[in-house]
Amino acid sequence: MKRSLTCILLPLLLSQGIAMAQTELPNSIDSQAQTAPVSTTSTTGLQPSIIPLKGTDQIQLQLVNCNWILDCALANLLLPASTRIDHLQLQFDNPALVPAQVLNTATVVQGNFTRYQLTDTFSVPPGVQTLAANQIVSLPLTLNRFAMPPDQYTGAIYLTLANQTNRLVLPVSLNVRSGPLLPLLILLVGVVLGRLFKYMQEQGGPQAEARKKVYQLEADLKNAHPDDQKRLASMVKQARDRVYRQQLEAANTQVTVVQGRLEVLTQLRSIETSFQAKGEDAPDQVFEQIAQAREEIRLGNDEAAKTTLDQITEVLLQMPTRRGAGDDSEAMKKTLTHAAASLDQNARSLAIAPQPPTWMDQLQRVLIDLSGLSDLVRAEATYWFVRPLLYGVLLVGLTIVGLNTLYIEKGETFGARPLSDYLGLLLWGLSADVASRSLSGLQEQRE
């Protein structure tokens, strides 16, 4: 009996345990799901709790690197105040009800041309910083622009926040230019060189050619007889002074005349030496006329000297012909004829016909007469006031235009490539004379 009850109850107990195990398993899974909810942050990620405001979300600056007092004074005059800031406030919005903590800051900024990295010269204070809750907060950014080489810098500022998995990234675009003092000096040198080239092309070149002729005349005069040098020394000095005073046409005429007179004096001395070498008795009248011709040449009386040479020729033709002397007389006659022609050419060269006045000269004369200004007042005012004023205005105007075009407007990174930047200023100054030709013509008309 007991054995039969055991056989009946044992299967019932086993089947009940299996049923209870099968019904409790879903309940345990549901309880575990309720006590351990699934986190969505692993897929979506945490966002920073502070929001950068406009101007901080993308930091873009134009700075100037000036180290000298005059350089910085020019920068204050020519460039906006934003190029001279030394500190910048990075502003954020913290909408959370709890303060935000910045655990670490890092600045990674590098130049595009020089590859120079900004470290201490462009940085946010290190260490933990607490930003107040539900407020507009700021972080100071230090700018040591005096230690920043001219360049175009790009990079970012990285902020590590507490309880945040992502860093806050602030892109940086920074342009640094050199101070305006050296570009201004280079531009001035270029403008002055441009004016100098124009002067050499229009006046300096012809003046140098005229001075060369004077040098050649002085060299020829050194080889002449000392007495002839004394007679012509003042004439050579007069030609040199005319070259210095830009009277080039008159100077060239003077050089030609003095060369002709030197040739005549040389021929007269050759005739005199020929008589003395052969031991022939020449009429005293010949030597007197030669001395008279030399004196007239010294005084610049070419017409009178030509007449005296003709008289000497007639005297030589009347001399009796001796053995071996006929050829000499003929040679002397040719020499004197050539000398007379040279003096005649000198006289014609000196008799320069006056140029008829142009309509501009006539108009100027009418205006001067109407205003009552004398020639002395007009000449002195032009030399001491008008010319320096026009030249100064032209120089300053060209310099300002060049500095504004190449440095202020288009020179955000001026100095990063010194060779091309400064050479561009120099070449602009050299070519600026083309643009100013009409204005500078006012000055050249009076010269």
Side-chain angles (χ1 to χ4, degrees):
M1 187 66 180
K2 292 181 181 181
R3 183 177 297 176
S4 60
L5 290 174
T6 302
C7 294
I8 294 172
L9 294 176
L10 182 61
L12 292 175
L13 293 173
L14 292 176
S15 61
Q16 185 179 3
I18 294 173
M20 292 178 62
Q22 290 177 354
T23 56
E24 290 178 358
L25 182 61
N27 293 334
S28 63
I29 295 177
D30 292 339
S31 62
Q32 291 178 0
Q34 293 178 358
T35 56
V38 178
S39 175
T40 59
T41 58
S42 61
T43 58
T44 61
L46 294 177
Q47 299 298 322
S49 60
I50 58 176
I51 303 172
L53 300 182
K54 185 177 181 180
T56 302
D57 54 349
Q58 291 184 353
I59 302 174
Q60 297 180 351
L61 297 175
Q62 307 283 342
L63 301 178
V64 59
N65 179 359
C66 60
N67 294 316
W68 305 329
I69 298 178
L70 182 58
D71 199 13
C72 293
L74 290 174
N76 296 341
L77 180 64
L78 300 175
L79 300 176
S82 59
T83 61
R84 304 186 304 274
I85 60 175
D86 297 324
H87 301 280
L88 182 66
Q89 295 296 326
L90 303 180
Q91 297 180 336
F92 304 91
D93 181 13
N94 183 14
L97 300 178
V98 293
Q101 285 189 340
V102 179
L103 301 180
N104 185 32
T105 60
T107 302
V108 180
V109 180
Q110 188 176 30
N112 295 336
F113 302 136
T114 61
R115 314 309 297 175
Y116 183 84
Q117 291 184 347
L118 301 181
T119 54
D120 297 336
T121 58
F122 187 85
S123 61
V124 179
V128 179
Q129 301 186 47
T130 302
L131 306 181
N134 196 20
Q135 292 185 16
I136 302 298
V137 293
S138 61
L139 289 176
L141 175 64
T142 303
L143 306 172
N144 187 7
R145 52 188 176 87
F146 303 105
M148 296 181 184
D151 203 341
Q152 182 181 17
Y153 298 91
T154 56
I157 298 176
Y158 299 91
L159 302 180
T160 303
L161 303 176
N163 300 323
Q164 302 294 331
T165 59
N166 296 331
R167 290 184 179 88
L168 180 59
V169 181
L170 306 177
V172 174
S173 178
L174 184 64
N175 293 325
V176 181
R177 75 180 80 191
S178 62
L181 179 59
L182 186 57
L184 179 61
L185 295 178
I186 296 296
L187 187 59
L188 280 174
V189 170
V191 173
V192 172
L193 287 179
R195 300 291 299 169
L196 181 60
F197 286 162
K198 184 176 185 242
Y199 167 78
M200 288 300 298
Q201 181 181 4
E202 297 182 358
Q203 298 182 11
Q207 186 182 36
E209 291 295 328
R211 189 68 182 95
K212 179 181 178 182
K213 294 180 181 180
V214 174
Y215 278 130
Q216 293 175 347
L217 178 60
E218 291 174 345
D220 294 338
L221 190 61
K222 289 181 180 179
N223 297 326
H225 193 275
D227 293 338
D228 297 339
Q229 294 181 13
K230 294 178 181 179
R231 292 185 178 94
L232 300 179
S234 61
M235 302 178 188
V236 176
K237 181 179 182 300
Q238 184 180 5
R240 184 170 57 250
D241 293 340
R242 288 180 174 177
V243 172
Y244 293 157
R245 296 173 183 175
Q246 288 289 340
Q247 301 173 358
L248 303 182
E249 185 177 356
N252 291 330
T253 302
Q254 180 75 9
V255 169
T256 303
V257 168
V258 175
Q259 287 176 341
R261 291 170 180 171
L262 177 60
E263 183 178 358
V264 172
L265 291 175
T266 302
Q267 292 169 350
L268 290 176
R269 193 162 298 279
S270 176
I271 293 173
E272 187 179 34
T273 304
S274 177
F275 278 113
Q276 295 175 355
K278 293 182 178 296
E280 298 179 352
D281 295 331
D284 295 337
Q285 184 181 3
V286 173
F287 292 104
E288 292 177 358
Q289 290 175 340
I290 289 177
Q292 181 181 356
R294 287 171 177 167
E295 182 63 18
E296 291 169 348
I297 290 176
R298 185 187 69 82
L299 297 176
N301 300 326
D302 293 334
E303 288 288 348
K306 177 180 179 297
T307 303
T308 304
L309 290 181
D310 293 338
Q311 295 174 358
I312 296 174
T313 303
E314 293 178 359
V315 173
L316 291 178
L317 292 176
Q318 295 175 1
M319 291 178 60
T321 303
R322 299 181 180 180
R323 186 180 62 183
D327 295 338
D328 292 341
S329 299
E330 189 67 23
M332 291 179 184
K333 178 182 177 181
K334 292 181 180 180
T335 299
L336 291 175
T337 303
H338 180 73
S342 178
L343 291 177
D344 183 64
Q345 181 65 29
N346 287 351
R348 293 181 180 180
S349 300
L350 292 176
I352 301 175
Q355 296 292 333
T358 62
W359 67 271
M360 180 62 71
D361 295 333
Q362 295 177 357
L363 178 61
Q364 290 177 349
R365 174 57 59 185
V366 172
L367 294 176
I368 291 173
D369 293 338
L370 291 177
S371 61
L373 293 177
S374 63
D375 293 339
L376 176 62
V377 174
R378 178 179 59 84
E380 294 297 330
T382 301
Y383 183 80
W384 293 106
F385 180 73
V386 179
R387 286 181 54 191
L389 179 62
L390 285 178
Y391 186 81
V393 170
L394 179 64
L395 184 63
V396 173
L398 291 177
T399 303
I400 292 176
V401 171
L403 196 66
N404 180 71
T405 302
L406 301 179
Y407 178 79
I408 297 178
E409 293 184 355
K410 299 181 180 179
E412 293 86 359
T413 61
F414 191 93
R417 292 167 290 189
L419 181 60
S420 61
D421 291 339
Y422 290 107
L423 185 60
L425 282 178
L426 185 63
L427 294 179
W428 192 96
L430 291 175
S431 61
D433 184 73
V434 178
S436 64
R437 187 174 298 275
S438 59
L439 180 59
S440 61
L442 297 176
Q443 176 185 356
E444 302 301 334
Q445 288 178 0
R446 298 311 309 161
E447 295 179 354

